[in-house]
Amino acid sequence: MPNTTSKGGIDFKRVLKKYRKNWYLFVITIVIGYLYANNSNKYIIPIYSLSTSVLIEDKTNSSILEERASISASPSFLSSKLIENQIASLKSFVQIKRIIEQLDFEVSYFAKGKYIWDEIYKRSPFIVNFDKEHSQVRYRRIDLKFISENEFILWSEHNPFKQPKTYRFGEDIISSNCNFKIELKEGINPLHYTNQEYGFIINSIDGVTNEYRNKTSIHIEGGTSVLIISSHGPNKQKEKDYLNKLTKVFLLSNLEKKNKILTNTIIFINSQLVGIGKSLDESEQRLEEYRKNHKFMQLNAKAAGLLSKMNSQSKTRSNLLLDLKYYEYLQEYLIAHNNFDDVVMPSTVGLSLPLFSDLVLKLSTVTLKKEDLIANSSRENPYIETLEEEMENMKVALIENINSIVYTTNIKIEDIEERMMVTDEEFSKLPGIEREYLEIQRKYKIYNNLFDFLLKRKSEVEIQRAANLSDHEIIDYAGDTGIGKISQSPKSAYVNAILWAIVLPSVFLFLVVLLNNRVMAREDIESHTDVPIIGSLIKNPEKNGNYVLKSPNSYFSELLRIIRIKLKLDPAQGKQVVAVTSAMIDEGKTFFSVNFASVYALTGKRTLLLGFDLRRPNIANEFNLDPNKGITDYLINDLNLDDVIQKTFTKNLDILLSGPIPPNPDELIESEKTQQLFLELKQKYDYIIMDTSPIGLVGDAYLLNKYADATIFIVRHNFSTKKNFSSAIKEAENNKMKNLHIVYNDVKSKRDKYDNQFYSDAEPQKYFVRIILSIRQFVVDLLRKF
């Protein structure tokens, strides 16, 4: 069970004590951590973060780009959809690949430092030119070193350059998987670089594109439409060039897109001007010829009124026909195209189709979403299919809308043509010369008005294109601000190492305390039982069993005397017998019995050490006695008591061993002869110390309980398990063992050297001997812990 206090919580006092006792572990781990951090710092590649900022705007105007600018008419749309679309455009694979192709990123150059390889973007004394049509060794560093003005050595850890080989500058290096050459930059003297090793890596455009796409971060600055674009890498200049090129191309793309719409508009107007201009020239020439031939200069009032009416009707019809041509153009465009970025919008030709413009805007937005998804995932993404269905539905709606407009326009044309027929009937009643002249003049004015209208629209578009600017603006260029070092600093490496050096042994020692199932303190005993602890014994200073007889004035002997005094045995009242037991073997009950009996003997009282552990007797070894003579002989062979009791070299201390191990210890203990044995011994001795079997293994001690006046239960420090102790002490209480007390054995002494010497009659050990014994004890304790 875990090491807890009597209240069930963790004993933090013991944990702290464990930390204090094992302070050397913290010292060792801190030293190791410091050395590790010091070594790791040598190999840290510095990583720098750079950023740039772009203001996203939508410069709305009432010009021909009104529909295109309608996306900015709603502030909420500008703050969400427009900005999201710009972010998607900035991080699109196509956009970043376009930038990577313009920069010199396909080959990375390095110089070998003391511990790491540094990227030397734009600072390399040489360049690598390779055949892009030939396969190359990619993403493998190839090393080289200049050896003369014209030669260098090339090698690598990978084929085909595992064996170093000498080449000349400008020489083609060709194999099955490479085709390149090394050329010196202008003004470079190789002899100045002979002490430096260089390396280069040939990358793939798609690989570099994906790398920069993944590490490009874009976020919106709070409460604004400013995009903060950042990237990071080991070379500041390289990241600076990338970010500045990214923003430059982004603004250029926006301007090109706007100009493309205007250019398509001009092309459409020019195509109309060609046909109308030709008709205008013909009408003008015919009008002049008619005037010359018929010397006709002015119409009467009625003819002039009809002419004005016919001109108005013809102008309306011509406008409707022009609109119809545009609508038919839209029909053909919608059927043939899926992308509507360059479609000529209605406002370009002076028309207003709000529903059509709104559908085109929505379709463009969905198209951008689809392109972003394709760039960031695979075409198998189910959401792409959903967007394609939505786009198809919008396209169908657009076609239906334009078909409806074409149908309505045809009806209007038919209506104006019917009115023109009525006017023509009136016109036919005029004299022939006036009628013919009126017809020629009417056509001329129609073509002239249309031509003037288209020229005006063309001028507007050309002026707009000439004055066009990007909707967006760079606020801060990369490198001016926003440079930060994001790689691990040397200080943080040391801090982390020290923290781990403290945490690891702390956790280890905490778990040792928490999971330790052995009795480590008096609190562990008191938390499992209410049986009183009558005393504690320090660790045996020597390995012999009868230490009290050899050192009667020692501190160890005084502790046993205190227990004797607390036990309060009184032979006059018939309280003479002390039973000594424990939960398991090797907990020190026999050792305690021998020395406890010695303490009583030193008082001048007749004392008997009774070895009633019939199953595992050990007392004979402590006193060099005959193990074959003892209790078993008395109970089985009808020997006299004096024949089995053995004398010791100490006055007043006799020993009755267990004798040969019997096959039936329980039956012998329960026999009447055992009862007779105790009656005789009580008459013969003042005190009887009885060593019994462990109650956690056998029940002999329970059978002997009726002969005992007190019971000492031995618990050994850092040896007895809590589980066994708890179970055994409860059994002892349930069986009502008489006058039960606990002795906490083998406890490490807290007394200082002076106190121990004061209670000891032994000669002080030499300094060297004490060191050897201390080391030996440390190893034993460490092994016992594990």
Side-chain angles (χ1 to χ4, degrees):
M1 64 188 302
N3 208 337
T4 57
T5 64
S6 58
K7 295 182 180 181
I10 298 172
D11 189 351
F12 287 103
K13 184 183 291 187
R14 186 178 302 174
V15 173
L16 294 174
K17 180 180 177 182
K18 195 75 171 178
Y19 291 163
R20 186 173 65 251
K21 182 179 179 181
N22 295 275
W23 59 269
Y24 55 89
L25 289 180
F26 292 93
V27 174
I28 292 172
T29 53
I30 288 174
V31 170
I32 293 174
Y34 175 83
L35 294 175
Y36 174 79
N38 187 58
N39 186 65
S40 298
N41 283 335
K42 299 174 183 177
Y43 300 95
I44 293 177
I45 298 176
I47 303 297
Y48 300 94
S49 174
L50 281 80
S51 64
T52 181
S53 55
V54 177
L55 175 64
I56 302 297
E57 292 183 300
D58 200 0
K59 300 175 181 176
T60 310
N61 53 62
S62 57
S63 69
I64 61 170
L65 295 178
E66 185 174 357
E67 276 79 5
R68 285 296 178 182
S70 65
I71 196 170
S72 64
S74 170
S76 62
F77 200 87
L78 174 62
S79 63
S80 58
K81 294 296 182 184
L82 175 62
I83 295 179
E84 289 175 7
N85 291 342
Q86 302 309 318
I87 292 174
S89 175
L90 277 166
K91 289 198 69 174
S92 66
F93 184 88
V94 174
Q95 177 86 335
I96 295 180
K97 184 176 182 179
R98 180 181 175 186
I99 294 161
I100 297 300
E101 287 175 340
Q102 296 179 28
L103 297 170
D104 187 20
F105 285 7
E106 200 164 359
V107 179
S108 300
Y109 299 91
F110 302 90
K112 187 177 182 181
K114 187 175 181 181
Y115 300 104
I116 60 174
W117 287 82
D118 297 316
E119 187 171 1
I120 50 172
Y121 171 71
K122 287 187 175 180
R123 294 184 291 111
S124 170
F126 63 94
I127 57 174
V128 178
N129 291 318
F130 62 93
D131 184 358
K132 296 187 177 182
E133 303 298 326
H134 196 281
S135 63
Q136 304 291 340
V137 179
R138 298 187 184 270
Y139 297 104
R140 297 284 188 268
R141 195 184 73 239
I142 300 174
D143 302 331
L144 63 88
K145 188 174 183 181
F146 301 158
I147 57 175
S148 69
E149 291 185 355
N150 301 313
E151 294 181 325
F152 61 90
I153 299 176
L154 199 70
W155 75 93
S156 175
E157 295 180 355
H158 310 278
N159 288 327
F161 304 109
K162 283 190 173 182
Q163 297 297 325
K165 191 174 179 181
T166 301
Y167 297 94
R168 297 180 65 85
F169 293 109
E171 178 185 350
D172 290 330
I173 303 171
I174 302 174
S175 70
S176 59
N177 56 352
C178 72
N179 185 355
F180 62 87
K181 57 185 176 182
I182 307 295
E183 295 180 336
L184 288 172
K185 287 185 177 179
E186 187 176 352
I188 294 296
N189 184 355
L191 296 179
H192 295 163
Y193 301 90
T194 53
N195 294 327
Q196 178 67 57
E197 289 185 17
Y198 295 97
F200 63 90
I201 296 175
I202 300 176
N203 309 303
S204 70
I205 290 291
D206 289 347
V208 177
T209 301
N210 281 321
E211 177 190 348
Y212 273 87
R213 190 163 176 265
N214 290 332
K215 70 179 185 178
T216 300
S217 173
I218 305 175
H219 69 273
I220 306 170
E221 193 168 19
T224 67
S225 59
V226 175
L227 296 182
I228 306 298
I229 310 167
S230 60
S231 179
H232 59 272
N235 191 285
K236 289 183 284 188
Q237 185 62 43
K238 190 174 184 179
E239 302 307 313
K240 176 182 175 181
D241 289 353
Y242 164 72
L243 289 174
N244 288 335
K245 178 66 74 172
L246 177 63
T247 51
K248 181 180 178 181
V249 171
F250 173 64
L251 266 61
L252 184 61
S253 298
N254 177 261
L255 183 60
E256 288 176 350
K257 187 175 181 180
K258 293 175 67 176
N259 286 340
K260 185 177 181 181
I261 298 170
L262 299 174
T263 302
N264 289 342
T265 303
I266 293 172
I267 292 172
F268 177 80
I269 292 175
N270 284 334
S271 67
Q272 300 299 314
L273 284 173
V274 171
I276 295 174
K278 186 177 180 181
S279 299
L280 178 63
D281 291 339
E282 292 175 354
S283 298
E284 184 179 12
Q285 184 178 0
R286 186 180 175 188
L287 181 63
E288 290 297 325
E289 289 177 354
Y290 192 86
R291 283 177 176 173
K292 289 179 181 179
N293 293 335
H294 296 85
K295 299 180 180 180
F296 188 86
M297 297 302 296
Q298 188 173 2
L299 297 170
N300 59 32
K302 183 179 181 181
L306 283 174
L307 179 61
S308 176
K309 185 177 181 180
M310 293 177 68
N311 284 340
S312 176
Q313 291 175 342
S314 297
K315 182 178 180 181
T316 301
R317 180 176 179 273
S318 298
N319 288 338
L320 288 173
L321 289 173
L322 185 61
D323 292 348
L324 184 62
K325 282 186 179 182
Y326 172 71
Y327 299 146
E328 289 172 349
Y329 154 77
L330 288 180
Q331 276 183 321
E332 295 175 0
Y333 189 94
L334 290 173
I335 294 171
H337 296 80
N338 291 320
N339 191 339
F340 307 119
D341 287 341
D342 55 352
V343 65
V344 177
M345 298 299 290
S347 63
T348 306
V349 291
L351 297 174
S352 177
L353 300 176
L355 179 60
F356 178 84
S357 299
D358 185 57
L359 286 172
V360 170
L361 174 63
K362 291 180 179 178
L363 187 57
S364 298
T365 302
V366 175
T367 303
L368 280 174
K369 285 184 180 179
K370 176 189 170 185
E371 291 175 354
D372 184 55
L373 276 175
I374 292 175
N376 289 280
S377 62
S378 63
R379 292 197 63 88
E380 287 74 20
N381 190 326
Y383 187 53
I384 293 178
E385 296 181 5
T386 304
L387 292 178
E388 288 176 344
E389 292 178 5
E390 188 177 349
M391 290 170 60
E392 189 63 31
N393 293 334
M394 288 184 182
K395 186 176 179 181
V396 171
L398 278 171
I399 294 174
E400 291 177 353
N401 179 258
I402 203 64
N403 287 341
S404 174
I405 294 172
V406 169
Y407 176 75
T408 304
T409 304
N410 282 323
I411 292 176
K412 290 179 180 179
I413 292 172
E414 290 176 2
D415 178 68
I416 195 66
E417 285 178 346
E418 289 177 1
R419 284 186 282 149
M420 288 177 68
M421 288 176 65
V422 174
T423 305
D424 285 342
E425 289 180 2
E426 294 180 14
F427 180 73
S428 63
K429 296 176 183 179
L430 293 174
I433 294 176
E434 290 184 349
R435 187 173 64 248
E436 189 174 355
Y437 177 78
L438 198 62
E439 177 69 25
I440 295 171
Q441 190 181 40
R442 179 171 61 86
K443 288 183 179 180
Y444 170 75
K445 287 186 176 181
I446 290 171
Y447 290 131
N448 187 58
N449 289 336
L450 285 175
F451 195 82
D452 288 345
F453 168 76
L454 291 175
L455 281 178
K456 180 181 178 181
R457 301 300 292 174
K458 181 181 177 182
S459 297
E460 289 179 358
V461 174
E462 288 178 337
I463 291 171
Q464 179 69 24
R465 185 174 65 174
N468 221 0
L469 295 173
S470 173
D471 286 343
H472 317 307
E473 178 185 351
I474 299 175
I475 298 178
D476 289 318
Y477 286 92
D480 296 338
T481 59
I483 300 179
K485 192 173 182 180
I486 62 174
S487 57
Q488 184 179 4
S489 67
K491 288 184 179 179
S492 64
Y494 289 117
V495 171
N496 291 335
I498 291 174
L499 287 177
W500 279 109
I502 294 174
V503 168
L504 289 178
S506 297
V507 172
F508 171 73
L509 294 174
F510 178 80
L511 292 176
V512 168
V513 173
L514 183 66
L515 302 178
N516 188 3
N517 194 34
R518 301 180 184 275
V519 175
M520 302 298 295
R522 294 173 66 99
E523 291 79 4
D524 292 334
I525 299 173
E526 293 168 348
S527 64
H528 289 86
T529 183
D530 293 327
V531 176
I533 301 175
I534 196 172
S536 299
L537 289 180
I538 64 171
K539 188 181 292 291
N540 182 11
E542 297 183 8
K543 289 304 174 183
N544 54 356
N546 52 356
Y547 182 73
V548 169
L549 297 179
K550 291 187 176 181
S551 302
N553 296 324
S554 65
Y555 177 58
F556 179 82
S557 301
E558 289 301 321
L559 292 175
L560 284 169
R561 291 188 178 96
I562 292 172
I563 296 173
R564 175 182 64 81
I565 294 170
K566 288 182 177 181
L567 198 58
K568 298 179 181 179
L569 290 181
D570 188 358
Q573 297 180 4
K575 296 181 179 180
Q576 302 170 260
V577 182
V578 179
V580 181
T581 187
S582 63
M584 304 296 289
I585 61 174
D586 293 332
E587 291 183 311
K589 64 177 183 60
T590 301
F591 170 75
F592 176 81
S593 300
V594 170
N595 287 280
F596 198 49
S598 300
V599 167
Y600 277 103
L602 292 174
T603 63
K605 301 295 183 180
R606 292 172 299 163
T607 305
L608 177 69
L609 176 58
L610 183 59
F612 241 111
D613 187 352
L614 303 180
R615 304 171 188 270
R616 195 171 180 268
N618 286 320
I619 297 176
N621 297 329
E622 304 294 342
F623 292 91
N624 295 322
L625 302 177
D626 184 5
N628 296 317
K629 184 170 63 172
I631 296 173
T632 305
D633 297 315
Y634 173 80
L635 296 178
I636 296 176
N637 300 325
D638 293 330
L639 295 178
N640 292 327
L641 191 57
D642 293 334
D643 294 335
V644 293
I645 293 176
Q646 301 186 53
K647 300 292 183 179
T648 66
F649 57 85
T650 301
K651 185 180 180 182
N652 298 322
L653 178 60
D654 294 341
I655 297 176
L656 177 54
L657 301 176
S658 60
I661 299 175
N664 54 347
D666 295 345
E667 287 80 357
L668 289 179
I669 294 173
E670 291 181 300
S671 66
E672 294 181 0
K673 195 76 177 286
T674 300
Q675 186 175 359
Q676 181 182 345
L677 171 65
F678 277 96
L679 290 174
E680 293 183 26
L681 291 177
K682 284 184 177 182
Q683 293 175 359
K684 192 176 180 70
Y685 294 96
D686 296 317
Y687 297 102
I688 301 171
I689 309 303
M690 177 170 53
D691 180 27
T692 66
S693 302
I695 60 175
L697 298 176
V698 293
D700 296 0
Y702 300 135
L703 298 176
L704 294 169
N705 183 44
K706 59 184 178 180
Y707 303 115
D709 299 307
T711 304
I712 299 295
F713 190 99
I714 304 297
V715 179
R716 185 176 178 184
H717 171 77
N718 200 21
F719 184 86
S720 301
T721 63
K722 298 174 186 176
K723 182 179 179 180
N724 291 336
F725 162 70
S726 178
S727 176
I729 199 67
K730 287 178 182 177
E731 287 294 325
E733 291 182 89
N734 293 336
N735 284 276
K736 295 181 173 51
M737 299 193 78
K738 296 177 182 178
N739 197 13
L740 183 61
H741 292 83
I742 295 173
V743 169
Y744 190 25
N745 184 33
D746 205 23
V747 180
K748 193 169 183 179
S749 175
K750 297 181 180 179
R751 302 179 66 86
D752 59 29
K753 186 188 298 184
Y754 174 79
D755 291 335
N756 289 332
Q757 289 178 352
F758 180 80
Y759 285 99
S760 175
D761 52 4
E763 293 184 3
Q765 293 177 328
K766 293 183 179 180
Y767 179 73
F768 179 74
V769 175
R770 290 201 304 270
I771 292 177
I772 296 299
L773 291 176
S774 298
I775 295 174
R776 177 180 177 277
Q777 189 61 46
F778 169 76
V779 174
V780 171
D781 290 344
L782 191 63
L783 293 174
R784 182 177 293 173
K785 288 177 185 178
F786 289 100

